[in-house]
């Protein structure tokens, strides 16, 4: 297990280095002049050049990246070019919003996917066909369309939840729950559609194994067989899919946060990317890569705990 952690950390560090370098190269070819954007279109060229020089934009790109990387390793992510706010402070303030969404989606998607997948795999017949149809529909519908329908039904027509806005948990736990419920549902649809199919297939494969037939021949109840043997062995594929969908959830959070007016990392990414604010964007890139590495490491731990063979491998 220690070797696994070491390999994951080394791979994550290399991935972070490569992605951050490529991202900096792409961001360093802006469509607009940052200095002129900051000073206004009426500013004279000398002032614009001085502003770009103050930001270090007159230096070679490799020098700029090396300077950013040196500071980032020490924990200094710089200052926003447009708001003069400390980047670490700005990202930290918005992180709880997106973290609430990610945790909520993970819990809802895991619970719903396992319930539907196990139900379809054990019952088969009409239940199986019903879950498969739900999976196809969930994948086929665009995310923004699902979000708009959820808002129209539950916020506009039924008025059960607010359509926009966010309340911090520290301010009001009930208000926090009401403001993240619809965004979590909107993000969970595609995840449930994909993971439930993986659970269904894994459950069917496990039920066909000889040791399951032996357990049934001994007279063990079906519920005990499913909970103690089938579910444990069928969980690994679903956990792998959940880990792979984490990046997709971050991409979906961009749309969902925009629609629901949530001040999270997703909406922050859109705002600062359009401005070309490199220090903030690079911090978001780092956060995304670190999140993906940690999620994959957690998935490996869980799979190893559920399946001793995978742990040994």
């Amino acid at each position: 297990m220690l070797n696994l952690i070491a390999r994951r950390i080394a791979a994550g560090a290399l991935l972070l280095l490569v992605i951050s370098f490529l991202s900096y190269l792409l961001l360093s070819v802006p469509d607009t002049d940052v200095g002129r954007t900051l000073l206004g279109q009426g500013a004279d060229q000398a002032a614009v050049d001085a502003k770009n020089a103050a930001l270090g934009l007159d230096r070679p790109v490799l020098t700029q990246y090396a300077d950013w990387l040196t500071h980032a390793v020490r924990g200094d992510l710089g200052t926003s070019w447009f708001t003069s706010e400390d980047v670490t402070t700005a990202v930290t303030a918005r992180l709880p919003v997106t973290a609430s969404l990610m945790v909520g989606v993970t819990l809802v998607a895991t619970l719903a996917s396992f319930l539907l997948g196990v139900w379809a795999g054990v019952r088969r017949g009409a239940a199986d066909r019903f879950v498969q149809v739900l999976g196809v529909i969930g994948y086929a519908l665009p995310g923004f369309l699902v979000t708009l329908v959820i808002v129209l039904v539950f916020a506009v027509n039924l008025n059960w939840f607010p359509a926009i806005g966010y309340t911090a948990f520290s301010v009001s736990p009930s208000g926090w729950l009401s403001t993240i419920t619809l965004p979590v549902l909107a993000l969970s649809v595609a995840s449930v559609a994909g993971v439930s199919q993986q659970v269904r297939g894994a459950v069917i494969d496990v039920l066909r194994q000889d040791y399951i037939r032996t357990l049934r021949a001994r007279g063990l109840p079906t519920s005990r067989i499913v909970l103690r043997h089938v579910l444990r062995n069928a969980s690994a594929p679903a956990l792998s899919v959940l880990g792979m969908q984490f990046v997709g959830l971050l991409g979906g959070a961009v749309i969902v946060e925009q629609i629901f007016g949530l001040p999270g990392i997703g909406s922050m990414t859109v705002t600062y990317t359009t401005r070309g604010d490199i220090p903030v964007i690079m911090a978001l890139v780092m956060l995304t890569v670190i999140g993906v590495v940690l999620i994959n490491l957690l998935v490996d731990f869980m799979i190893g705990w559920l399946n001793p063979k995978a742990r040994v491998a």
Side-chain angles (χ1 to χ4, degrees):
M1 189 61 70
L2 292 177
N3 290 333
L4 172 64
I5 297 175
R7 289 198 303 269
R8 283 295 188 188
I9 293 176
L14 179 61
L15 181 65
L16 180 60
L17 183 65
V18 172
I19 292 181
S20 63
F21 176 68
L22 295 177
S23 299
Y24 207 98
L25 288 181
L26 293 174
L27 293 169
S28 297
V29 189
D31 295 331
T32 59
D33 188 339
V34 175
R36 187 165 297 280
T37 302
L38 290 171
L39 299 178
Q41 296 300 320
D44 60 85
Q45 189 60 42
V48 171
D49 293 340
K51 186 64 176 178
N52 287 330
L55 295 175
L57 298 177
D58 59 334
R59 298 176 300 166
V61 174
L62 291 180
T63 303
Q64 296 180 43
Y65 173 73
D67 183 59
W68 172 84
L69 183 62
T70 302
H71 286 81
V73 170
R74 298 199 299 261
D76 179 14
L77 298 179
T79 305
S80 170
W81 290 347
F82 288 80
T83 64
S84 299
E85 185 179 8
D86 181 70
V87 173
T88 303
T89 303
V91 173
T92 304
R94 292 173 176 257
L95 185 58
V97 181
T98 303
S100 298
L101 290 181
M102 295 299 102
V103 172
V105 171
T106 301
L107 294 176
V108 171
T110 302
L111 180 60
S113 298
F114 274 85
L115 288 176
L116 291 173
V118 171
W119 181 50
V122 174
R123 296 294 297 273
R124 304 302 299 274
D128 190 12
R129 291 191 294 272
F130 174 75
V131 172
Q132 291 189 64
V133 170
L134 283 182
V136 172
I137 294 175
Y139 258 139
L141 292 177
F144 73 90
L145 180 60
V146 173
T147 303
L148 292 177
V149 170
I150 289 176
V151 171
L152 181 63
V153 174
F154 295 102
V156 178
N157 293 339
L158 298 178
N159 197 27
W160 288 355
F161 303 97
I164 59 173
Y166 176 78
T167 302
F169 183 85
S170 58
V171 175
S172 172
S174 60
W176 168 82
L177 183 61
S178 65
T179 52
I180 70 164
T181 297
L182 295 187
V184 166
L185 290 178
L187 280 174
S188 299
V189 172
S191 295
V192 172
V195 179
S196 62
Q197 299 303 310
Q198 293 293 328
V199 175
R200 168 196 168 273
V203 167
I204 293 175
D205 289 339
V206 174
L207 288 174
R208 291 172 178 169
Q209 300 299 316
D210 291 337
Y211 74 91
I212 297 297
R213 298 190 185 97
T214 302
L215 292 174
R216 284 176 169 171
R218 291 179 177 177
L220 269 69
T222 302
S223 59
R224 183 178 178 183
I225 294 175
V226 171
L227 293 176
R228 296 194 59 181
H229 301 279
V230 175
L231 193 58
R232 185 183 184 94
N233 289 281
S235 297
L239 291 175
S240 299
V241 174
L242 277 173
M244 290 186 295
Q245 287 188 346
F246 180 76
V247 178
L249 290 177
L250 290 176
V254 174
I255 300 175
V256 169
E257 288 181 6
Q258 289 287 96
I259 294 177
F260 288 96
L262 303 179
I265 297 298
S267 58
M268 185 182 191
T269 302
V270 175
T271 301
Y272 285 86
T273 300
T274 54
R275 293 175 176 175
D277 200 330
I278 291 182
V280 177
I281 300 173
M282 291 302 297
L284 297 176
V285 170
M286 285 185 58
L287 181 64
T288 302
V289 174
I290 293 173
V292 171
V293 172
L294 291 178
I295 289 297
N296 287 330
L297 185 59
L298 178 61
V299 169
D300 287 339
F301 271 120
M302 295 183 68
I303 291 177
W305 175 70
L306 291 169
N307 188 351
K309 292 182 180 179
R311 190 186 317 159
V312 174

